Amino acid sequence: MPTPPATPDDPAPYPRITVAVLGPGGVGGLLAALLSRAGHRVVCVASAETADMLRRDGIRVHSGQFGDFTARVDADTELREPVDLCFVTVKHTALDAALERVLPGLVADGLVVPLLNGIEHLDALRARYGTRQVAAAVIRVESTRTAPGVVEHGSPFTEIDLAGPPERLAPVAALLTGAGIRTRVVEDETTALWAKLAFLAPFALLTTRYRLTIGEVRTAHRDELTALVAEAAQVSAACGAPADPERAMALYDAFPAGGKSSMLRDAEAGRPLELDAIGGALLRAADRHGIPVPVAARLVADLSG
Ligand SMILES: NC(=O)c1ccc[n+]([C@@H]2O[C@H](COP(=O)([O-])OP(=O)(O)OC[C@H]3O[C@@H](n4cnc5c(N)ncnc54)[C@H](OP(=O)(O)O)[C@@H]3O)[C@@H](O)[C@H]2O)c1
């Protein structure tokens, strides 16, 4: 990415650039709209139907944090120009098909930033686009695509951690911060990805298995939640990312009782689950390190059936 200018004529701390968003859904649609509103040119890469709708109507955002607004975006079924930055925001279940829409040569001089939950998508992206071209990242947000081009942003926060060399990622952090997204750069990718996965996996697996909210899970299935959090923390630590199970339990206890995981919302809507990217990845990592994870294994088996 270009270095931010510092001229009196352009008070913005970052240049206006072209950003691609592959998969403009709950996360990608919000990001695309915020970046467009901040003055960047945004190209959404989507299915033909969604791309038509986005070109015509833009993206409508309903958000307590950012207000209600409509943002104009460009949209296409494939990326047709080189870009400085490409966010990948499809679900893991759609990743392989979606990547066909972005040829490696078009991001060869830029950066690909996936915001998927899970850890194993990094390998697939790096195999296609190159190690240096892909920066690991996690997003903390609750945002739902209620119809093509319509995003309901429910959380009072939107935060991204970018993992990697600060000199390379600082301009991206400045760009996102300029669009209203609280962004920090952390050096250790393993810590960033596992902090999210070790917290998310117990929440997603238990709420989805029992079709219950977090409030119901933490009371009716507390022993199972505690055991699963301990398993996830052990695996995370073995992978090089020490986790704090007590803090995780305190965070679950602080959640609004009616909170649902996106995996549960997918199950309720009959959509494919990111079970393999979340539960499967946890089991595979446990297996690599010889850590028994009976609770996680049973829940993944139950949900796979
Ligand atoms: N939503 C959240 O609050 C949240 C929070 C943190 C992390 N995450 C993670 O972020 C990732 C994205 O989640 P999401 O909730 O934003 O998903 P989503 O709302 O389902 O959005 C995914 C988008 O991908 C598009 N897509 C699917 N297949 C495609 C293909 N072959 N080519 C191009 N586009 C395709 C869909 O497009 P169509 O509209 O054309 O079907 C949809 O707009 C997931 O890994 C999730 O776990 C989500």
Side-chain angles (χ1 to χ4, degrees):
M1 272 186 59
T3 315
T7 70
D9 295 330
D10 185 357
Y14 48 83
R16 309 292 179 210
I17 64 164
T18 297
V19 182
V21 175
L22 174 61
V27 167
L30 179 66
L31 206 63
L34 289 170
L35 289 167
S36 165
R37 187 169 77 160
H40 301 287
R41 179 163 166 268
V42 177
V43 182
C44 291
V45 182
S47 64
E49 195 192 341
T50 299
D52 282 348
M53 219 163 281
L54 294 188
R55 263 196 313 270
R56 197 185 60 217
D57 300 334
I59 299 177
R60 278 167 289 160
V61 173
H62 304 283
S63 164
Q65 185 185 11
F66 299 114
D68 293 353
F69 67 98
T70 300
R72 309 300 316 171
V73 291
D74 287 340
D76 209 333
T77 53
E78 60 185 272
L79 189 62
R80 298 180 200 274
E81 62 189 289
V83 291
D84 302 307
L85 188 55
C86 177
F87 289 101
V88 179
T89 53
V90 292
K91 291 230 161 97
H92 199 280
T93 45
L95 184 63
D96 290 346
L99 293 183
E100 296 292 320
R101 301 180 188 274
V102 176
L103 290 175
L106 298 177
V107 292
D109 297 325
L111 201 59
V112 176
V113 180
L115 293 170
L116 287 74
N117 278 321
I119 46 174
E120 294 175 347
H121 55 276
L122 265 307
D123 284 346
L125 284 160
R126 287 184 171 137
R128 181 167 172 82
Y129 298 112
T131 303
R132 201 182 126 71
Q133 277 71 23
V134 179
V138 295
I139 183 165
R140 289 178 291 277
V141 72
E142 190 183 325
S143 184
T144 306
R145 193 212 73 158
T146 52
V150 183
V151 173
E152 296 283 341
H153 171 221
S155 55
F157 53 83
T158 308
E159 297 170 350
I160 290 181
D161 289 347
L162 299 167
E167 64 281 5
R168 186 148 160 76
L169 297 180
V172 184
L175 173 109
L176 290 166
T177 302
I181 301 165
R182 200 166 151 197
T183 305
R184 59 181 188 164
V185 177
V186 297
E187 294 215 28
D188 188 45
E189 168 176 321
T190 304
T191 303
L193 294 173
W194 272 100
K196 180 81 192 278
L197 187 64
F199 180 76
L200 175 72
F203 177 43
L205 293 177
L206 280 169
T207 55
T208 311
R209 167 65 182 83
Y210 295 112
R211 302 259 177 154
L212 293 175
T213 63
I214 185 61
E216 293 162 322
V217 161
R218 74 191 172 211
T219 48
H221 297 276
R222 193 162 189 91
D223 289 350
E224 218 175 339
L225 177 62
T226 308
L228 187 54
V229 167
E231 288 180 5
Q234 265 187 296
V235 178
S236 181
C239 291
D244 181 347
E246 280 179 22
R247 181 162 179 275
M249 290 301 292
L251 287 173
Y252 296 129
D253 284 338
F255 253 51
K260 293 179 175 182
S261 63
S262 58
M263 192 187 283
L264 173 56
R265 284 197 300 269
D266 284 341
E268 288 174 340
R271 292 187 292 259
L273 305 185
E274 289 188 303
L275 180 62
D276 191 60
I278 294 170
L282 179 66
L283 299 190
R284 286 186 285 277
D287 191 48
R288 279 197 300 278
H289 293 280
I291 296 170
V293 287
V295 179
R298 179 172 44 75
L299 290 167
V300 171
D302 289 351
L303 285 165
S304 306

